[in-house]
Amino acid sequence: MTETTVVRDSACEISPVVDIVFSRWTTPILWALNNHGRQRFVELERRIGAITPKVLTQRLRQLERDGLITRTYHAEVPPRVEYEISALGRSLGPLFATLSRWATANLDHVEQARREYDEAGLPRP
Amino acid sequence: MTETTVVRDSACEISPVVDIVFSRWTTPILWALNNHGRQRFVELERRIGAITPKVLTQRLRQLERDGLITRTYHAEVPPRVEYEISALGRSLGPLFATLSRWATANLDHVEQARREYDEAGLPRP
DNA sequence: CAGAATCCCCGAGGATACTG
DNA sequence: CAGTATCCTCGGGGATTCTG
């Protein structure tokens, strides 16, 4: 440890949360359920747009397992299933708010940075 | 519109940010640069652990292009390159803080939810 | 040291049915 | 309607090697 040993970070303590909340499709799903209340399968499907039923099911199961959403089955014909954000899921509100604020404040800075980087025709190194 | 048309969400306004900040490897990189200051390529490589040089380079370029980090080349032998978080990157601080707080407050709730879901031997639907 | 160049693999996720 | 069941693609990322 007196050498040039770099202490491997304690795996970046926020990585687990990122995996849970920001993996593929989970953000739009949580966003939809958070902002538009209880919804049926097809509603989500249509609202999100490009997702296929298979993948939507996978993600919904995962989010349900993680306790972020709830699933309610109504034994009718035709069957009706409703998804709703849970208390734990709602607790992500402030996080989404922070994210949203950062977006409106800085997204164009990112765009600008990209433009500059691109037109500066990379004199590497 | 008077029909059962579900208005497709304005693409979940936070999705772009998620792509920029929470895509693969970017979180640990930003975290490392945010918490341990300016660092060389190898330092980052060792600190992050599992990443390969190729992918690390890719992600660093991307983050540099997005204006979240800066790259400084020192023409020496052996060459020395240092990466540092930019002002724009530092502006992510509050976001990371919120994320970190959510983690310490709710991560065990998620674990608990998973255990309950698993041991409840899925009576689908 | 800080990468660039190659080759290659594999599995998430898309497309396309089909069913209770 | 709310999913399963299959098949298949395709590109992110790993491993390895080379160089200024």
Side-chain angles (χ1 to χ4, degrees), chain A residues 13 65-66 100 114 118, chain B residues 13 65-66 100 114 118:
Chain A
E13 72 201 51
R65 186 174 110 99
D66 290 344
S100 189
R114 285 178 177 171
D118 289 346
Chain B
E13 72 202 49
R65 188 173 110 98
D66 291 345
S100 189
R114 285 178 177 171
D118 289 345

Side-chain angles (χ1 to χ4, degrees), chain B residues 51-96:
Chain B
I51 199 169
T52 62
K54 189 187 88 175
V55 177
L56 180 55
T57 303
Q58 287 178 348
R59 296 288 91 97
L60 286 171
R61 291 283 187 279
Q62 173 189 324
L63 290 171
E64 187 195 1
R65 188 173 110 98
D66 291 345
L68 299 178
I69 68 175
T70 63
R71 176 183 183 271
T72 318
Y73 180 84
H74 299 98
E76 311 168 356
V77 270
R80 184 165 55 97
V81 177
E82 294 188 311
Y83 292 92
E84 192 174 9
I85 196 149
S86 70
L88 187 56
R90 240 191 316 280
S91 76
L92 290 168
L95 180 58
F96 285 176

Side-chain angles (χ1 to χ4, degrees), chain A residues 70-122:
Chain A
T70 63
R71 175 182 183 272
T72 317
Y73 180 85
H74 299 98
E76 311 168 356
V77 269
R80 183 165 56 96
V81 177
E82 294 188 311
Y83 292 93
E84 193 174 9
I85 196 147
S86 70
L88 188 56
R90 239 190 318 279
S91 76
L92 290 168
L95 180 58
F96 285 176
T98 309
L99 216 44
S100 189
R101 254 179 282 113
W102 195 92
T104 52
N106 299 316
L107 221 49
D108 41 358
H109 291 37
V110 172
E111 308 259 23
Q112 175 66 9
R114 285 178 177 171
R115 255 175 275 124
E116 290 174 3
Y117 183 95
D118 289 346
E119 77 185 18
L122 344 190

